[in-house]
Amino acid sequence: MPAGWKLVYGVNDRLGSTTFLRTNLGKAFPKHWSFLLGEIALYSFIILILTGVYLTLFFRPSGAEVVYDGSYAQLRGMRMSDAYASTLDLSFDVRGGLLMRQIHHWAANLFLAAICVHLLRIFFTGAFRKPREINWLIGVTLFALSVLEGFAGYSLPDDLLSGTGLRIAEGIVLSIPVVGTYLMFWMFGGQFPASETFIPRLFTVHILLIPGILLALVTAHLMILWHQTHTQWPGKGRREQAVQGEPTFPSFMAQSGAFFLYTFGFLAGLAAFVQINPVWLYGPYDPDEVSFGSQPDWYIAFLEGSLRIMGRLSTTVAGHTISWNVLLPAVVLPMVFFTLIGLYPFFERWATGDERIHHLLDRPRNAATRTAIGAAVIAWYGNLWAAGGNDVLSNTFKIPLFWTTWFFRVGFFVLPVLAFIVARRVCLSLQRRDLQKREEGVESGLISLTPEGGYTERHEQSAPEEAAILRTRQPRELVAAYPHHIIPLPTPGRVRTQVRTRTNRFYLNYQTESHGGGQGDLKRDGAVEKEKKEGS
């Protein structure tokens, strides 16, 4: 027997690897373009690790002051930190250094963008429902940690733009009552900027601590996904308890390998032709200077916007000033935001009472309330994101800065409400259109002459695959009845029951908006069925 086969059999005898491979290589993976969003995030993360290792070999995480004598003539002879000088060397003197820097930076942006869109896909399709709540929590945690990791990454070069961001971060930490000063000194190792001690700490966090946690969470996320199987879109012959798709080997593995190469090629092309973060134009960080139009990377912009639109508000208690204009938008708001996102699957399960296992996805139109909530959050987030560039908008469109600030302040409260109303109405309208197609068929374009001399258009039944998709879900058993109490006392149990019932009907019962669509109108559906029976 060849030595290679002896090694294979030896490993199999000890680990049972062939049994494992035989069981898992045939695992079915549904095929749909929206499922690639999570894969883009995974491939971007791998590319970040590969390019990050290369950059680590040349970057010097030191705040020690040096005199630059590299190839970039405009800064030659200037005093700067060793970290900034090594970033300039990477950009101009290391072969392939600038390309790697730009691939790394673009991959970070794509990684976060893919996570955001992937989370939105999971939210709007209900893929977070039982049994996938844990993976949803992991995804939200990945998003939050990736924001911190991205901020740490573009703060390392110690240029004027990143230093401005760190100055803002210092003010945010100082706004925390009682412990803010201690946290600031602990983070920076002294009074800001404290570059000599802070940059090595930030470097360790960026290349070791957060990446290690991200790698562990990504691994756990994939293991849980593998164990629970993938979700799938509704269609003909598809059921909640059976997942259909292509086998892992060779179909899915070949497609994934090719898609990884496509992602790497796209990022390499983007890095080669589209400039990002030209630190040599900003110059070294000086606490006395701030460049005009300083903007963070897009994923931090919503925090920047919340700070810009917050009014002046502070309170002095026992000689200590609490800066609410910083604490609320930059500390409380993001904590509440990420907490509510993470807890949403449990809230929806509590509101709807749906304890069933789901492998079939929802069409967003068929869960109108959930879709409307998602649209409201997008509008709220987008308003803050745009507010982060209110000075640029004001300068570009020649609008007074005061006007843009008040527009985003009003939009903080008004835009989410408008988005919710519009999105819910659109979803219900699409439900009614699907119901009409299912009952009346689709237009054929053929005109018939009736015996009375009129004209009617002939309708044809939808194709079986389309008909299966048009069949909206109607879980009538989930719509809660209003509780009836003999003595309507305002007891805690009664209040809790009333709140849960109204939340349930807010989600599931569309009696005033929809006739037979979505989760169903019980009375009208029953009346229609009764009329059909009597007519027959």
Side-chain angles (χ1 to χ4, degrees):
M1 181 183 294
W5 283 109
K6 288 182 179 180
L7 178 62
V8 171
Y9 284 122
V11 172
N12 179 58
D13 287 341
R14 289 157 180 79
L15 302 178
S17 54
T18 56
T19 303
F20 173 82
L21 292 174
R22 190 183 305 112
T23 303
N24 291 278
L25 288 181
K27 198 176 187 69
F29 271 83
K31 186 177 181 180
H32 193 269
W33 67 266
S34 63
F35 300 153
L36 297 176
L37 298 170
E39 293 184 42
I40 293 175
L42 175 62
Y43 302 148
S44 301
F45 182 63
I46 295 173
I47 294 168
L48 280 169
I49 294 176
L50 295 176
T51 54
V53 170
Y54 182 88
L55 296 176
T56 303
L57 300 175
F58 301 97
F59 180 74
R60 298 187 295 273
S62 172
E65 194 173 72
V66 298
V67 177
Y68 178 67
D69 60 351
S71 300
Y72 190 64
Q74 285 81 349
L75 295 178
R76 193 177 298 143
M78 287 189 62
R79 304 189 70 85
M80 59 185 65
S81 67
D82 199 16
Y84 184 63
S86 66
T87 305
L88 294 177
D89 291 339
L90 255 171
S91 303
F92 297 105
D93 298 310
V94 175
R95 187 180 297 274
L98 181 58
L99 179 65
M100 285 295 180
R101 272 196 62 233
Q102 301 217 138
I103 292 177
H104 192 74
H105 205 128
W106 278 119
N109 280 276
L110 183 61
F111 177 56
L112 274 153
I115 289 178
C116 288
V117 182
H118 182 55
L119 283 173
L120 289 175
R121 197 275 298 176
I122 291 174
F123 176 84
F124 283 115
T125 60
F128 56 79
R129 293 172 296 173
K130 187 178 179 180
R132 295 177 176 82
E133 300 94 336
I134 295 177
N135 250 356
W136 172 263
L137 289 173
I138 291 176
V140 174
T141 306
L142 282 170
F143 180 40
L145 287 175
S146 299
V147 170
L148 291 177
E149 176 73 345
F151 178 76
Y154 80 72
S155 298
L156 278 175
D158 198 34
D159 59 285
L160 185 58
L161 179 62
S162 65
T164 302
L166 287 174
R167 169 65 81 183
I168 296 173
E170 180 219 15
I172 293 173
V173 174
L174 286 174
S175 71
I176 302 174
V178 182
V179 299
T181 304
Y182 301 99
L183 285 175
M184 190 276 293
F185 274 93
W186 177 74
M187 286 175 56
F188 290 94
Q191 188 66 42
F192 182 84
S195 299
E196 294 187 9
T197 55
F198 176 67
I199 291 180
R201 293 184 181 191
L202 188 64
F203 183 71
T204 303
V205 170
H206 180 67
I207 70 164
L208 183 63
L209 180 60
I210 298 181
I213 298 174
L214 289 176
L215 185 60
L217 289 176
V218 168
T219 303
H221 185 78
L222 294 176
M223 291 175 65
I224 293 173
L225 172 65
W226 191 273
H227 173 71
Q228 294 177 342
T229 72
H230 208 288
T231 54
Q232 62 182 344
W233 286 98
K236 184 182 178 182
R238 295 179 183 174
R239 297 178 290 109
E240 287 282 8
Q241 300 301 326
V243 178
Q244 301 176 4
E246 298 179 341
T248 302
F249 180 83
S251 302
F252 180 75
M253 291 181 64
Q255 294 171 12
S256 295
F259 199 62
F260 170 74
L261 296 177
Y262 293 153
T263 305
F264 209 150
F266 171 76
L267 287 172
L270 199 63
F273 297 104
V274 182
Q275 181 176 269
I276 187 171
N277 197 26
V279 295
W280 53 89
L281 298 180
Y282 308 141
Y285 177 62
D286 187 339
D288 297 333
E289 298 179 2
V290 177
S291 60
F292 170 75
S294 299
Q295 303 294 323
D297 277 355
W298 66 269
Y299 46 86
I300 301 291
F302 82 103
L303 283 177
E304 179 83 6
S306 64
L307 281 168
R308 293 190 181 195
I309 66 175
M310 182 68 184
R312 292 177 296 177
L313 182 63
S314 61
T315 304
T316 301
V317 179
H320 297 278
T321 300
I322 302 176
S323 300
W324 298 106
N325 58 324
V326 179
L327 180 66
L328 289 179
V331 179
V332 176
L333 183 141
M335 291 177 62
V336 172
F337 175 59
F338 285 111
T339 300
L340 291 179
I341 293 177
L343 295 179
Y344 179 83
F346 306 97
F347 170 75
E348 182 174 306
R349 190 176 66 186
W350 172 82
T352 61
D354 190 356
E355 297 287 346
R356 300 169 299 183
I357 291 177
H358 293 277
H359 294 305
L360 280 180
L361 299 173
D362 280 333
R363 299 178 77 197
R365 67 183 67 181
N366 293 340
T369 301
R370 181 202 301 148
T371 300
I373 291 174
V377 172
I378 291 175
W380 174 84
Y381 182 92
N383 180 76
L384 290 181
W385 181 81
N390 65 341
D391 56 338
V392 177
L393 293 173
S394 176
N395 180 68
T396 303
F397 297 102
K398 309 305 178 186
I399 303 173
L401 183 62
F402 182 78
W403 291 8
T404 61
T405 302
W406 270 103
F407 173 83
F408 292 122
R409 284 177 179 174
V410 174
F412 182 89
F413 300 100
V414 174
L415 291 181
V417 177
L418 292 177
F420 180 90
I421 294 172
V422 171
R424 197 165 189 262
R425 297 300 306 178
V426 169
C427 288
L428 295 172
S429 297
L430 292 173
Q431 287 180 22
R432 285 192 290 269
R433 190 185 69 176
D434 288 347
L435 178 65
Q436 184 180 10
K437 282 185 179 180
R438 194 172 71 247
E439 292 182 347
E440 300 178 2
V442 296
E443 299 176 354
S444 64
L446 301 176
I447 306 299
S448 301
L449 178 64
T450 64
E452 293 79 12
Y455 293 93
T456 60
E457 183 179 11
R458 186 183 305 172
H459 286 68
E460 299 177 348
Q461 292 298 320
S462 303
E465 184 67 27
E466 185 179 2
I469 296 176
L470 293 177
R471 188 176 299 113
T472 55
R473 63 189 185 96
Q474 296 180 345
R476 296 178 174 84
E477 70 277 7
L478 296 180
V479 180
Y482 285 113
H484 298 286
H485 298 275
I486 300 176
I487 303 177
L489 297 176
T491 59
R494 178 176 181 272
V495 173
R496 184 168 57 251
T497 304
Q498 290 282 359
V499 170
R500 184 174 184 181
T501 301
R502 281 165 171 76
T503 306
N504 173 277
R505 299 179 78 87
F506 174 73
Y507 263 91
L508 302 177
N509 202 25
Y510 308 140
Q511 292 184 0
T512 58
E513 294 91 348
S514 176
H515 181 185
Q519 278 70 26
D521 177 338
L522 304 188
K523 295 181 180 179
R524 293 185 181 178
D525 284 350
V528 170
E529 292 176 3
K530 184 177 179 181
E531 290 177 3
K532 287 183 177 179
K533 290 180 180 179
E534 292 177 352
S536 59

